[in-house]
Amino acid sequence: MAETVSSDFEGDATSKPAFSLKNRLIGIARVSPTMAAGILIILAFGVMALFAEFLMPHDPVSAYHDRILQPPSAEHWFGTDGNGMDVFSRVIYGAKFGFGIAIPAVLLSIIIGVPVGLIAGYRGGLLDEVLMRFFDGLRVFPSIILALAVVAATGQSLLNVVLVLGFLDSPVFARVVRSEVLALRSSVFVESAKAAGNPTWRILFVHLLPNAVQGAMAQTAVRAAWAVRISATLAFLGVGIQAPTPEWGAMIRQGAEFMVTGQWWVALYPGIALILLVFGLNLFGDGLQDLTDPRRRAAK
Amino acid sequence: MSFSRFLLRRTLMVIPLLLGVVFITFMLIRVGGLDPVGQLAGPTATQDEFDMIREELGLDKPLWQQFLIYTGNVLQGDLGESWLSNRPVLDDMLERAVISLELLVWGIGLGALIGIPVGLRAAFRPNGKFDQTTRVLSLLGFSIPTYWLGLVMIFVFFYLLDWAPPAIGRISLMIFPPETVTGSYLIDGLIAADWEAAWSATTHLILPVVCLAIISAAPIIKQTRAIALEVLSSETVRYARACGLPERTVRKLVFRNSAVPIITFVGTELTGLVGTMSLIEYVFAWGGLGQYGLNAIVRGDFTAVQGYVLALALFSVVVFLIVDIIVHLIEPRSELN
């Protein structure tokens, strides 16, 4: 399975052993143009986040008191907001929050979810039953509302947003890994590892993990999209991240009141940036899931 | 298995789930470092006053006792008092439930009306132009923040075009709401033959309902397509094709065989959409349960937050139950196992 994926990835590039981003992208674009588009969008936002300091024409939090709510112009491409801050610079800076929240949150979900899934799937029994019922219990709460309520209850800080998102999303990874472990648990290589006297942790992390982790990895991009979306929603409601932080959701919150008075640019641009990044992550994630799920590939 | 036995077994299965839900809701405000006592006492309270409030709320007892008391109260329908409105949380919520339900039902109804035919059509010609376009569009639908879409719609249809009424409430402030029968201004207006009220309620409904429909259509399209694709590759359909049945008959067959999983999915969607609905209510100042809950979260009214979260979870549990019953009734195969 792993081999078929990598040969798909490379396409014609197999004749050139040297790694080249351009060739890789062309290879991916042949298999799935939407996935390549997603990667390009993510890369563009990555550049924005890393080099924001060089790309911003203005300081994202310095207020020009004489230029409040100015429409887009040559000086302020996306106009200025209610405090007289440059919307364009703030939108660029916002990319830092998008990645800065999504990457650690997804990593945390993996760090919690993967071992839980490994152990639950391998051990089975009561532990597995209790864990799965607990995850089922969590599922009846709408994710946005649960995230909101927990962040509001545990204290509102950026760190808390990351912790809560990472924790609440860990069942996704636990479930995927668990179902793969269940299928592999009684396979020959696990039985022989056990017979050779390997300790349980070694069977779990050295023998099972590499074989069970692929499905979980396919989820990462879609879960990152979820984290970006939910963190922006929290900020829109003023929970966890407050204005005038140049975060997209918080900026939309600031711009909301001006939508009924006609100053559309304050809320419109951060929204478009948010949609593009989430869309890019979803396109990429959709492609990843297609590549790793043989049933979805067969349907094509 | 007879229907009544199925009903009994399925309903009994809900009990442990409900216990878990009450436990999670109970823990919700206890995991945090926040202290509801400080909030009630205010900044000038003395230590004695703090202790008094703590005792009054039962927070001085061990955690397991608190949990038993909380569960007992919930069973009696006592969800505590809201700190913002000074009224029982249950009363506050019951008043607003129908208002939200109206929005939710219209929204997901329209979403399903768009999503199911589009998903089916995409599945009939996988990887065709229509399929690829709708696939990208539905991924885009997954990516649009609900509240932003609502704001943009308000800007375009209220500010620019002046087609929609201002996004405050469910009926024009100039119009006297019709007599309450169902709680929905539109239906009540029609019942009372108060056309002006019914029309005003309709104009207020359109934007939030369309907004909710757009957001809910995306997952419905994706899921319907996947379900129909699976049915299309099933032996039933292959046999029908091999018999040379006309394409129209085959499509009918696919539709009938996809109906059960699609109903299951739309039902589950309904519960997931409650969060989206809350945000739409917040943007359109709808005044329903969703707005009440978000306000409680934002303002730190923890008794109300607890009640709201519990209510949403209960709603999910009930919807899952109803979906299972419907599926049991229309799925002939369920008789067998």
Side-chain angles (χ1 to χ4, degrees):
Chain A
M1 181 65 219
E3 274 157 82
T4 52
V5 172
S6 60
S7 68
D8 264 358
F9 257 125
E10 275 149 34
D12 285 352
T14 35
S15 52
K16 286 181 197 162
F19 177 83
S20 142
L21 186 68
K22 199 179 142 202
N23 284 338
R24 274 278 157 118
L25 264 178
I26 294 172
I28 294 170
R30 273 202 195 126
V31 186
S32 163
T34 50
M35 186 174 170
I39 294 173
L40 276 179
I41 294 173
I42 298 168
L43 283 178
F45 277 97
V47 168
M48 259 165 69
L50 285 175
F51 303 106
E53 276 73 14
F54 304 101
L55 294 169
M56 290 184 300
H58 297 271
D59 184 333
V61 285
S62 78
Y64 300 94
H65 292 296
D66 52 333
R67 299 181 208 162
I68 284 169
L69 285 176
Q70 280 188 353
S73 62
E75 173 67 16
H76 299 283
W77 289 4
F78 291 175
T80 59
D81 68 10
N83 296 323
M85 297 178 187
D86 181 47
V87 176
F88 182 63
S89 306
R90 290 167 66 77
V91 167
I92 291 181
Y93 196 90
K96 278 184 191 285
F97 285 92
F99 287 101
I101 292 170
I103 293 174
V106 172
L107 280 179
L108 185 65
S109 304
I110 294 174
I111 291 170
I112 301 171
V114 169
V116 168
L118 275 175
I119 295 168
Y122 187 70
R123 273 279 152 81
L126 187 67
L127 175 80
D128 183 41
E129 189 67 23
V130 170
L131 267 173
M132 286 302 123
R133 289 293 86 79
F134 178 69
F135 290 163
D136 281 347
L138 276 182
R139 250 214 308 223
V140 300
F141 299 93
S143 57
I144 297 179
I145 302 302
L146 196 57
L148 266 169
V150 178
V151 171
T154 51
Q156 305 188 3
S157 67
L158 199 56
L159 180 67
N160 254 332
V161 172
V162 171
L163 291 179
V164 169
L165 292 186
F167 181 76
L168 287 182
D169 213 26
S170 55
V172 173
F173 292 96
R175 270 176 202 281
V176 176
V177 170
R178 173 183 170 270
S179 67
E180 302 223 0
V181 170
L182 274 182
L184 292 169
R185 183 161 67 170
S186 47
S187 60
V188 179
F189 77 94
V190 176
E191 289 297 329
S192 37
K194 230 191 283 181
N198 283 291
T200 308
W201 68 264
R202 218 181 132 77
I203 296 175
L204 284 180
F205 289 94
V206 180
H207 297 277
L208 276 172
L209 182 63
N211 288 291
V213 84
Q214 197 187 18
M217 291 304 110
Q219 299 291 329
T220 47
V222 172
R223 297 333 293 171
W226 179 84
V228 172
R229 228 170 46 131
I230 300 284
S231 60
T233 307
L234 294 179
F236 170 73
L237 292 166
V239 172
I241 301 159
Q242 256 90 35
T245 314
E247 195 276 346
W248 294 329
M251 294 170 69
I252 298 174
R253 176 184 179 79
Q254 278 182 299
E257 56 174 312
F258 303 123
M259 277 306 211
V260 283
T261 50
Q263 287 88 6
W264 48 271
W265 52 89
V266 186
L268 187 82
Y269 291 114
I272 291 176
L274 177 60
I275 292 175
L276 274 177
L277 178 56
V278 175
F279 186 48
L281 286 166
N282 272 330
L283 284 175
F284 178 50
D286 198 54
L288 270 184
Q289 284 173 344
D290 272 359
L291 283 176
T292 51
D293 185 348
R295 273 185 314 168
R296 283 183 67 169
R297 293 175 77 197
K300 297 197 101 183
Chain B
M1 190 171 24
S2 72
F3 179 67
S4 52
R5 266 190 63 195
F6 163 80
L7 203 64
L8 185 72
R9 236 189 60 174
R10 183 63 187 75
T11 317
L12 284 179
M13 269 167 59
V14 163
I15 293 170
L17 184 59
L18 285 180
L19 259 179
V21 163
V22 172
F23 177 70
I24 293 172
T25 327
F26 167 77
M27 288 309 286
L28 195 65
I29 62 166
R30 280 162 184 88
V31 290
L34 286 193
D35 189 6
V37 179
Q39 205 175 47
L40 285 170
T44 57
T46 60
Q47 189 58 43
D48 284 349
E49 284 175 300
F50 264 109
D51 292 342
M52 224 171 71
I53 297 175
R54 195 173 294 275
E55 220 183 293
E56 208 173 298
L57 292 176
L59 292 174
D60 54 338
K61 298 193 175 72
L63 209 58
W64 64 270
Q65 251 179 28
Q66 288 184 38
F67 177 62
L68 286 184
I69 294 171
Y70 177 70
T71 313
N73 287 345
V74 168
L75 282 177
Q76 289 166 27
D78 176 11
L79 300 178
E81 238 176 53
S82 159
W83 165 72
L84 279 176
S85 70
N86 272 326
R87 296 183 52 208
V89 171
L90 188 68
D91 293 357
D92 273 352
M93 292 201 304
L94 284 177
E95 248 165 41
R96 292 169 171 83
V98 180
I99 301 173
S100 293
L101 209 59
E102 182 183 25
L103 185 60
L104 195 63
V105 169
W106 288 121
I108 198 154
L110 188 62
L113 217 59
I114 303 167
I116 295 174
V118 169
L120 283 174
R121 201 181 149 194
F124 283 130
R125 204 161 292 160
N127 271 344
K129 251 204 192 98
F130 185 78
D131 181 31
Q132 278 176 346
T133 320
T134 50
R135 187 173 184 184
V136 172
L137 280 181
S138 75
L139 278 177
L140 191 63
F142 274 109
S143 316
I144 296 177
T146 320
Y147 46 93
W148 181 84
L149 182 64
L151 288 172
V152 170
M153 280 171 111
I154 291 172
F155 171 70
V156 173
F157 294 105
F158 167 67
Y159 178 82
L160 276 188
L161 301 172
D162 201 18
W163 289 354
I168 301 166
R170 304 177 290 140
I171 199 161
S172 167
L173 294 172
M174 313 296 220
I175 291 175
F176 205 68
E179 200 183 334
T180 310
V181 182
T182 57
S184 149
Y185 282 163
L186 170 57
I187 296 173
D188 287 353
L190 291 178
I191 291 175
D194 184 348
W195 312 121
E196 208 189 347
W199 174 247
S200 174
T202 310
T203 55
H204 279 79
L205 263 170
I206 289 175
L207 284 192
V209 163
V210 168
C211 193
L212 194 56
I214 291 175
I215 303 287
S216 65
I220 295 179
I221 292 175
K222 191 178 170 180
Q223 203 64 23
T224 306
R225 175 183 178 274
I227 291 166
L229 270 180
E230 201 147 298
V231 174
L232 273 166
S233 61
S234 70
E235 276 171 17
T236 324
V237 172
R238 255 187 303 178
Y239 181 68
R241 284 237 162 92
C243 288
L245 288 179
E247 188 62 22
R248 266 192 52 169
T249 321
V250 173
R251 290 195 175 189
K252 235 188 229 164
L253 193 68
V254 172
F255 184 71
R256 281 222 329 245
N257 279 288
S258 320
V260 170
I262 289 176
I263 290 175
T264 314
F265 179 74
V266 172
T268 350
E269 255 297 284
L270 196 66
T271 63
L273 269 183
V274 172
T276 310
M277 178 206 68
S278 300
L279 285 162
I280 290 178
E281 283 193 16
Y282 188 80
V283 169
F284 285 94
W286 194 248
L289 187 57
Q291 198 187 352
Y292 176 76
L294 288 188
N295 262 332
I297 290 173
V298 171
R299 308 264 307 264
D301 183 359
F302 285 105
T303 336
V305 173
Q306 246 183 346
Y308 170 62
V309 171
L310 185 68
L312 294 191
L314 279 182
F315 176 70
S316 303
V317 172
V318 171
V319 169
F320 289 156
L321 187 68
I322 295 174
V323 166
D324 270 7
I325 293 171
I326 295 176
V327 168
H328 184 89
L329 286 177
I330 59 173
E331 168 77 296
R333 270 171 298 187
S334 63
E335 292 276 319
L336 296 174
N337 39 47

